[in-house]
Amino acid sequence: MGEHDLIFAADGERVVLRHLATDRGIFARGALKAALWGQDKGPGEYNMLDVLGL
């Protein structure tokens, strides 16, 4: 299982965005997609926005 929180906080308040994954297979699929995408790329700095085409 994976759990991730993104927290925006200020004095006296906070907003929490939570992602809960009950199947680690989703992470494996993302890693595989990134590996396949990157196999013909040259040296450089890339991130998941590049992989996803966003």
Side-chain angles (χ1 to χ4, degrees):
M1 187 165 120
E3 184 173 324
H4 307 91
D5 289 343
L6 176 62
I7 301 171
F8 299 95
D11 289 338
E13 64 181 341
R14 67 182 176 172
V15 175
V16 180
L17 177 64
R18 176 169 286 165
H19 170 251
L20 300 171
T22 56
D23 177 3
R24 288 188 179 259
I26 63 172
F27 300 116
R29 286 189 294 276
L32 181 58
K33 180 175 181 141
L36 292 172
W37 175 87
Q39 68 184 356
D40 63 346
K41 302 297 184 277
E45 187 173 316
Y46 304 100
N47 61 44
M48 285 305 289
L49 295 176
D50 298 313
V51 174
L52 299 173
L54 300 175

